[in-house]
């Protein structure tokens, strides 16, 4: 417990925050170690595995009943400096968080929605022939689920784990046809192909140039290897990277409890 407390305290110290004691928070019994939120933060939040519990398929995620209200409250408390940075397509994020349409990044940073609602996109769409090749793979391996996004292509093997090597081999073969243009992402029980120019650092850099984000301390919360670029971008701006495993015991419900504290600022 001593080393966990040290972790939390060093994070708090980094932003000049007052360190909390574990007994201050009712959720602390589940082990929340995240620093106390502060009104001068700019908050960047990943979606799946961070705010939302992982589900068997992308469409079967369950929206926690108070999440939209708490996100709205947190955005208000931070004067609008709250962004969602997800691998999902923007339309899908908006559908899940309806009626919110928050600033942020979608498709792992291929699309950035700016505070005025305009979009800044990078990277070419995945070639149509690749989509066809993934669909054929899905036919050959029942249980594999293909997700086609405007800039990303995903093969989910959560429900067909034995197909993982076939998925990876096909993705590598396709990438070799367009060297440098696309990258393979090791996602959770899925392989994604995304444009090389798209990373989760992009929304952080882009938004930190603009009001109401500029001049604040960026805090990026994420759970996955795909969030590491966002973590690095937050740190590069003097902010914090809070990975769900370390600071929230791997529990999205603890992230959601902590988000309520942001809303209460
Ligand atoms: O950046 P994120 O918001 O974490 O999104 C990453 C990917 O999340 C989704 O897939 C993952 O979550 C699904 C629902 O829990 C799960 O079934 C799947 O196994 C996970 O890989 C989404 O479908 C992808 O498009 C996102 O890139």
């Amino acid at each position: 417990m001593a080393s966990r407390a040290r972790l939390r305290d060093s994070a708090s110290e980094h932003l000049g925050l007052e360190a909390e004691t574990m007994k201050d928070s009712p959720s602390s019994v589940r082990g929340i170690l995240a620093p106390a939120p502060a009104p001068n933060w700019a908050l960047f939040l990943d979606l799946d595995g961070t705010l939302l519990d992982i589900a068997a398929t992308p469409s079967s995620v369950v929206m926690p009943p108070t999440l939209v209200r708490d996100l709205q409250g947190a955005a208000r408390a931070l004067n609008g400096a709250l962004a969602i940075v997800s691998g999902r397509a923007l339309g899908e994020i908006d559908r899940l968080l309806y009626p919110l349409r928050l600033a942020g990044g979608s498709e792992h940073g291929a699309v950035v929605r700016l505070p005025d609602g305009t979009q800044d996109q990078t990277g070419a769409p995945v070639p149509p022939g690749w989509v066809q090749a993934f669909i054929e793979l899905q036919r050959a391996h029942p249980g594999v689920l293909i997700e086609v996004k405007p800039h990303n292509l995903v093969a989910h093997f959560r429900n067909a784990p034995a197909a993982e090597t076939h998925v990876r081999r096909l993705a590598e073969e396709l990438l070799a046809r367009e060297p440098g243009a696309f990258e393979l992402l090791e996602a959770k029980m899925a392989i994604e192909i995304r444009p090389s120019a798209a990373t989760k650092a992009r929304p952080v850099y882009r938004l930190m140039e603009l009001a109401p984000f500029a001049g604040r301390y960026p805090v990026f919360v994420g759970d996955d290897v795909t969030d590491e670029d966002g973590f690095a971008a937050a740190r590069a701006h003097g902010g914090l990277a809070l990975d769900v495993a370390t600071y929230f015991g791997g529990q999205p419900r603890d992230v959601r409890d902590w988000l309520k504290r942001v809303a209460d600022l």
Side-chain angles (χ1 to χ4, degrees):
M1 188 56 74
S3 64
R4 293 177 129 210
R6 264 201 304 280
L7 243 182
R8 181 200 60 228
D9 291 349
S10 78
S12 301
E13 195 181 316
H14 182 61
L15 291 188
L17 303 172
E18 197 181 317
E20 291 177 284
T21 58
M22 291 292 279
K23 64 179 164 46
D24 288 336
S25 162
S27 301
S28 65
V29 288
R30 296 203 300 266
I32 294 182
L33 297 169
N40 62 349
W41 282 9
L43 197 51
F44 295 85
L45 299 170
D46 169 60
L47 203 50
D48 290 279
T50 295
L51 291 175
L52 300 179
D53 293 295
I54 291 293
T57 64
S59 60
S60 61
V61 286
V62 175
M63 273 300 292
T66 65
L67 180 58
V68 165
R69 190 189 67 202
D70 294 336
L71 282 169
Q72 203 160 23
R76 199 177 302 121
L78 300 175
N79 200 29
L82 182 144
I84 298 292
V85 183
S86 173
R88 288 187 184 252
L90 192 57
E92 190 54 19
I93 298 169
D94 289 345
R95 188 187 67 75
L96 288 168
L97 302 183
Y98 181 84
L100 299 182
R101 292 169 68 86
L102 296 166
S106 58
E107 297 187 74
H108 301 288
V111 179
V112 179
R113 180 154 62 199
L114 304 175
D116 67 3
T118 57
Q119 292 175 29
D120 173 355
Q121 307 202 8
T122 190
V126 175
W130 295 13
V131 176
Q132 192 51 40
F134 264 46
I135 289 170
E136 281 160 22
L137 177 92
Q138 181 180 31
R139 285 202 192 106
H141 297 277
V144 169
L145 179 69
I146 303 306
E147 186 183 356
V148 183
K149 301 182 256 184
H151 301 80
N152 298 171
L153 182 57
V154 196
H156 293 271
F157 49 82
R158 182 174 295 279
N159 301 312
E164 177 177 356
T165 48
H166 300 281
V167 170
R168 180 169 284 100
R169 192 177 310 131
L170 175 61
E172 286 169 354
E173 275 171 27
L174 296 173
L175 288 181
R177 293 183 198 170
E178 299 245 5
F182 295 92
E183 280 178 357
L184 187 152
L185 267 187
E186 302 277 352
K188 286 194 164 166
M189 300 301 282
I191 297 279
E192 299 211 27
I193 293 177
R194 72 163 182 202
S196 305
T199 78
K200 286 194 175 185
R202 218 171 78 80
V204 178
Y205 276 94
R206 198 71 187 85
L207 291 170
M208 289 303 292
E209 292 170 344
L210 302 169
F213 293 84
R216 290 171 166 266
Y217 289 106
V219 176
F220 195 112
V221 189
D223 70 306
D224 205 350
V225 283
T226 62
D227 296 310
E228 283 169 11
D229 295 313
F231 291 163
R235 289 195 192 102
H237 283 82
L240 277 180
L242 302 181
D243 84 86
V244 177
T246 303
Y247 288 92
F248 300 95
Q251 299 293 333
R253 68 179 175 180
D254 283 357
V255 181
R256 296 192 294 266
D257 281 351
W258 180 79
L259 183 68
K260 288 180 194 295
R261 295 168 58 197
V262 182
D264 286 342
L265 281 170

